[in-house]
Amino acid sequence: MLSAFTISQAHEALKSKKCSSEELVRACIGRVEAVDGTLNALVFKNFDAAVAKAKEVDKDGRFDLPLRGIPFLTKDVYCEEGVPTTACSNVLRHKEYRPPFDSTTIRRLKAQGAISIGKTNTDEFTMGASTETSCYGVTRNPWDTSRVAGGSSGGSAAGVAADECIFALGTDTGGSIRQPAGFCGVAGLRTTYGRTSRYGVMSMASSLDTIGPICKSIEDLAIVLQAIAGKDPLDGTTSAVPVPDYRAALTGDVKGLRIGLPKEYFIDGMNAEVEGAVRTAATVLEHLGATVTDISLPHTKYATPTYYILCPSEVSSNMARYDGVRYGHTVEKPKNLLDYYQRVRSEGFGPEVKRRIMIGTYALSAGYADAYYRQAQKVRTLIKRDFDEAFQEVDIILSPVSPTPAFTVGAHTDDPVAMYLEDVFLDGQVMAGIPALSVPCGFSKENLPIGLQIMGRQWDEGTILRAAYAYEQATEWHTRKPALG
Ligand code: GLN
């Protein structure tokens, strides 16, 4: 099945004329038609344009760049010229917002000849850990369709795991690339804050949002990162720190690499299979020549509470622009301006977005900003310091991605705090602005994937990719495919 290719396999096949880009694109389309009725990973299909583009690429015949002719899917928060971009929210879906421009990342991928085939499902404005808050309904996990694919980039992770595309783009504010990648048994990379451009990606929490790839292999993560990383004049928070050659970092050699296992990430009551898989992964790396030591990140327990102050605060500000005046949902016959805003926003936003606007407005309000928002900013600094100190002793840090494998659809619907706790291992890195990735490291007895998280120093995606690649080459978890369709 051509759509099961990794980027590097597809590139080899294209270069040696074993297949054409059109065949590759049509294989992905065929796969979407076969399985997406069950999974609901895609919310917009751009197939005609994709086939036309593939024909152009084939006619040109040059397959010099690794992404030329390769089909990909994009989370529905990335603006793409002429393509509906709704953040899976009724506030933008009703009048089907079609942006007049490409986000920087999509522009960079298209400049390399990659072919956009559609948009993927997400929690509304990326708020959630299960893709259940989407106005298009839940995305199902390809390994067990009674379970969630994770979130918020659940559509992208399920799409990659089910071979509906060769790779996909996600966003990670508080785990939304790593957790769905972990739940679906694929690889996902949260980049250093500022490494990749947020220009043209709908903001959730601007000081925490990052964009990155979800792929079938670690090498593929390196390939996509190479194409999208680096300073963007259109995003003032991107950095001019040089972008290294990420593929060159994939040496397979981890001799002397110092690994830390933080005791705060192995908590009482955590799933034994998850803990076992992660500890075994550390042993695998040790056998390859790395050293493993126990470390402490003492402020870890504050990461998720801090995140759920800062994130909603920024959400409450970012959501203000959806007022129904310039674009998006509108209402008829308003009594006055206030009535217009109230009805647009009451009808347009779902419950989780409203909850965060209210929490954030409260945390930022005059009487409470010192007690909540400013306090949380201080704690954020303490969490960052924990990592700064740890990275003096070790080069990478390992942990589980999530406390359990994928949960069943509806398990947390009535309990927002239980949903927030899904991020318990994923918010510290966000507070520190460091890169982290998720790589498959085992399966539960119920045949559900388990993810290993590898964290690194700021700007040092190269080292976590190197460690993940060595681990991946030594294990076979990434080669397993869900039995679907
Ligand atoms: N689960 C987290 C939240 O709901 C992560 C979201 C994200 O990374 N976009 O905020």
Side-chain angles (χ1 to χ4, degrees):
M1 192 168 69
L2 293 182
S3 69
F5 276 159
T6 62
I7 297 172
S8 49
Q9 289 167 342
H11 176 63
E12 283 309 312
L14 289 169
K15 233 173 41 181
S16 57
K17 308 282 179 216
K18 290 208 180 71
C19 75
S20 65
S21 172
E22 184 182 345
E23 284 168 327
L24 205 53
V25 168
R26 287 196 191 279
C28 292
I29 295 173
R31 187 67 178 157
V32 171
E33 280 161 1
V35 300
D36 213 56
T38 310
L39 297 180
N40 194 32
L42 275 74
V43 297
F44 179 74
K45 297 168 184 150
N46 203 15
F47 295 164
D48 292 344
V51 170
K53 185 77 209 159
K55 284 184 176 161
E56 262 175 48
V57 171
D58 285 331
K59 203 160 155 222
D60 175 71
R62 271 179 311 132
F63 290 101
D64 46 349
L65 299 171
L67 291 171
R68 196 175 289 284
I70 307 283
F72 70 99
L73 287 169
T74 308
K75 186 174 182 176
D76 195 30
V77 287
Y78 284 69
C79 290
E80 185 172 354
E81 191 179 343
V83 165
T85 304
T86 71
C88 297
S89 173
N90 283 327
V91 94
L92 291 174
R93 179 197 191 181
H94 283 161
K95 281 179 71 186
E96 208 178 62
Y97 173 60
R98 286 181 188 246
F101 70 109
D102 278 337
S103 56
T104 294
T105 300
I106 292 196
R107 188 168 46 74
R108 286 180 176 171
L109 291 174
K110 286 183 177 171
Q112 295 238 342
I115 298 177
S116 159
I117 58 170
K119 291 303 203 56
T120 58
N121 205 5
T122 163
D123 282 292
E124 184 175 4
F125 282 104
T126 81
M127 297 176 207
S130 64
T131 316
E132 291 173 288
T133 71
S134 164
C135 70
Y136 301 103
V138 67
T139 294
R140 307 232 161 218
N141 191 309
W143 291 91
D144 174 351
T145 54
S146 71
R147 294 176 190 263
V148 300
S152 60
S153 314
S156 291
V160 172
D163 294 323
E164 295 176 275
C165 59
I166 307 298
F167 74 96
L169 295 173
T171 63
D172 190 312
T173 303
S176 282
I177 287 178
R178 293 163 286 160
Q179 186 253 26
F183 277 8
C184 292
V186 292
L189 173 66
R190 176 190 170 92
T191 57
T192 303
Y193 181 82
R195 180 55 102 188
T196 44
S197 171
R198 294 178 294 111
Y199 177 73
V201 180
M202 292 171 178
S203 302
M204 174 194 189
S206 310
S207 82
L208 312 170
D209 293 343
T210 60
I211 69 106
I214 297 179
C215 293
K216 298 173 195 176
S217 74
I218 298 300
E219 185 181 16
D220 284 6
L221 290 181
I223 293 170
V224 180
L225 180 62
Q226 200 75 54
I228 64 176
K231 176 96 190 137
D232 176 14
L234 298 173
D235 175 357
T237 60
T238 53
S239 166
V241 172
V243 176
D245 182 342
Y246 293 113
R247 254 166 132 184
L250 309 181
T251 56
D253 181 8
V254 289
K255 279 193 200 66
L257 190 76
R258 296 168 306 167
I259 298 176
L261 285 181
K263 66 171 193 278
E264 294 80 3
Y265 283 68
F266 294 88
I267 48 183
D268 276 353
M270 77 186 288
N271 179 295
E273 289 178 304
V274 170
E275 173 165 10
V278 171
R279 290 198 185 277
T280 307
T283 315
V284 169
L285 284 163
E286 204 170 21
H287 285 146
L288 294 173
T291 58
V292 180
T293 46
D294 290 326
I295 60 164
S296 174
L297 296 165
H299 296 93
T300 297
K301 67 171 182 240
Y302 301 114
T304 296
T306 307
Y307 173 86
Y308 279 99
I309 297 289
L310 297 178
C311 171
S313 298
E314 297 189 25
V315 162
S316 72
S317 159
N318 275 324
M319 293 299 121
R321 70 187 61 137
Y322 303 102
D323 57 9
V325 175
R326 283 148 299 195
Y327 49 79
H329 183 57
T330 49
V331 294
E332 296 303 319
K333 297 200 181 71
K335 287 202 265 321
N336 52 39
L337 186 62
L338 191 60
D339 179 53
Y340 181 77
Y341 287 152
Q342 281 175 342
R343 283 170 50 207
V344 162
R345 291 165 66 80
S346 306
E347 290 172 16
F349 289 137
E352 184 57 31
V353 174
K354 288 178 187 160
R355 183 179 297 120
R356 294 200 195 198
I357 292 172
M358 287 194 286
I359 295 172
T361 307
Y362 182 84
L364 290 175
S365 60
Y368 298 103
D370 280 340
Y372 292 104
Y373 181 74
R374 255 180 279 280
Q375 189 72 2
Q377 289 288 26
K378 290 180 191 164
V379 179
R380 180 179 187 172
T381 303
L382 295 177
I383 295 168
K384 181 177 184 311
R385 278 190 204 149
D386 280 358
F387 281 102
D388 289 345
E389 278 165 31
F391 282 125
Q392 312 228 322
E393 310 295 320
V394 297
D395 302 308
I396 60 167
I397 297 173
L398 301 189
S399 83
V401 173
S402 302
T404 66
F407 49 91
T408 48
V409 172
H412 299 328
T413 310
D414 301 323
D415 188 350
V417 174
M419 191 69 89
Y420 299 166
L421 288 173
E422 287 293 329
D423 309 347
V424 64
F425 300 142
L426 303 170
D427 293 328
Q429 309 74 33
V430 172
M431 294 299 125
I434 59 172
L437 61 74
S438 170
V439 58
C441 74
F443 282 81
S444 70
K445 280 195 221 63
E446 293 171 296
N447 200 35
L448 298 170
I450 298 172
L452 167 71
Q453 175 166 232
I454 307 184
M455 313 162 215
R457 296 186 183 93
Q458 228 180 353
W459 312 116
D460 195 11
E461 284 82 2
T463 300
I464 58 174
L465 288 167
R466 172 159 69 97
Y469 181 76
Y471 174 76
E472 184 194 65
Q473 297 307 299
T475 53
E476 53 77 36
W477 311 116
H478 65 289
T479 62
R480 296 200 193 176
K481 296 275 185 189
L484 190 85

